[in-house]
Amino acid sequence: MVRLERFAEGRTPAHGVDGVVARMRALGDGWPPRDGVAVFNRLYLSVTEEVGRQLAAGTFPDARSAATLDVRFAERYLTAVGAAADGRRAPACWRPLLQYRRHPGVHPLQFALAGINAHIGHDLALALVDSCRALGCEPADLEDEFDSVGDILVALEERIREELMPGPDLLQIADPLTHLAGSWSLERARDGAWAAARALWALRHLPVVAAEFGERLDGAVGLVGRVLLTPLPD
């Protein structure tokens, strides 16, 4: 039987963007730097801080909508980490990272990409639907905010590849890490998240179907994450 609560997870706000930032910092303080979730948390914290700066600067056309989307989005990640810490079952998209987070054969770049894959491929779509429900609007009304947050994430991905990829002498086309890193695209994941959000919104009056769609999306994104975390030789 499909569980309806999966579609409703993560709707509790984290007391604004500042609250999200505080929670991420607290999490990071408790993990070893090489921990796979810590690797992603540091990167995601920088994204959330940048969103906060842009909100303060008035960059977003609709600050309330942008903040709502950012917080609902972050809550998905924080809820998954909290579930794991409490011994509960996290969403399938996050399980590979949570399971492999201390594996010595996984490169930091793989941890970062697996976290972004889970968060964009699954969480972003559901966060957009959560935001529409909270704000009483349609996905199309939040497209500008969706794109603005996505642009920040694209810039983050570029920085990740610059900072975490090995030196140029190791970037051979046949190198397994190069192959894995090149097989995943944030742009494609973001496009998929937008399509999934629109589908979930269209199915909002069919909760059983919407829950099943969300569960299948969760599983598919988790499968990609498991591939991204394939342990590699030194």
Side-chain angles (χ1 to χ4, degrees):
M1 180 178 178
V2 176
R3 298 196 304 272
L4 298 184
E5 63 266 27
R6 179 176 297 280
F7 186 61
E9 286 174 352
R11 289 189 182 166
T12 303
H15 307 296
V17 175
D18 289 344
V20 167
V21 167
R23 289 170 66 183
M24 287 184 193
R25 286 176 178 163
L27 286 173
D29 289 343
W31 292 325
R34 184 61 174 74
D35 179 284
V37 183
V39 171
F40 171 75
N41 190 78
R42 287 194 298 272
L43 297 165
Y44 189 32
L45 173 59
S46 69
V47 169
T48 308
E49 289 172 335
E50 178 61 24
V51 171
R53 284 191 289 270
Q54 293 198 21
L55 283 168
T59 303
F60 292 102
D62 186 335
R64 176 171 176 257
S65 295
T68 298
L69 177 58
D70 184 70
V71 171
R72 302 280 172 161
F73 188 31
E75 272 295 320
R76 292 276 168 182
Y77 159 66
L78 294 168
T79 298
V81 171
D86 294 340
R88 293 179 286 114
R89 194 170 176 81
C93 62
W94 285 105
R95 281 178 222 152
L97 180 58
L98 292 165
Q99 291 168 0
Y100 282 76
R101 61 193 296 178
R102 295 181 179 89
H103 197 297
V106 179
H107 191 278
L109 175 63
Q110 294 174 261
F111 289 135
L113 292 180
I116 297 173
N117 169 69
H119 206 36
I120 301 295
H122 173 264
D123 294 354
L124 184 54
L126 273 67
L128 184 61
V129 173
D130 290 343
S131 299
C132 288
R133 291 182 181 277
L135 296 167
C137 65
E138 302 276 332
D141 298 324
L142 296 181
E143 188 169 6
D144 287 344
E145 288 71 27
F146 180 94
D147 288 342
S148 295
V149 171
D151 290 343
I152 295 172
L153 290 165
V154 168
L156 170 68
E157 186 194 25
E158 293 173 355
R159 199 183 85 193
I160 287 171
R161 293 181 186 272
E162 290 175 0
E163 293 182 3
L164 299 182
M165 281 294 281
D169 56 321
L170 298 179
L171 296 182
Q172 302 298 323
I173 190 65
D175 181 76
L177 181 59
T178 305
H179 177 76
L180 275 179
S183 67
W184 187 84
S185 164
L186 191 149
E187 288 282 4
R188 289 196 294 271
R190 188 172 71 166
D191 290 346
W194 178 252
R198 293 183 63 191
L200 284 167
W201 186 252
L203 293 170
R204 66 191 182 280
H205 300 307
L206 299 170
V208 174
V209 179
E212 183 172 357
F213 182 95
E215 190 164 317
R216 297 291 182 267
L217 176 67
D218 188 20
V221 173
L223 180 60
V224 173
R226 196 164 295 277
V227 172
L228 288 170
L229 292 170
T230 301
L232 301 175
D234 292 333

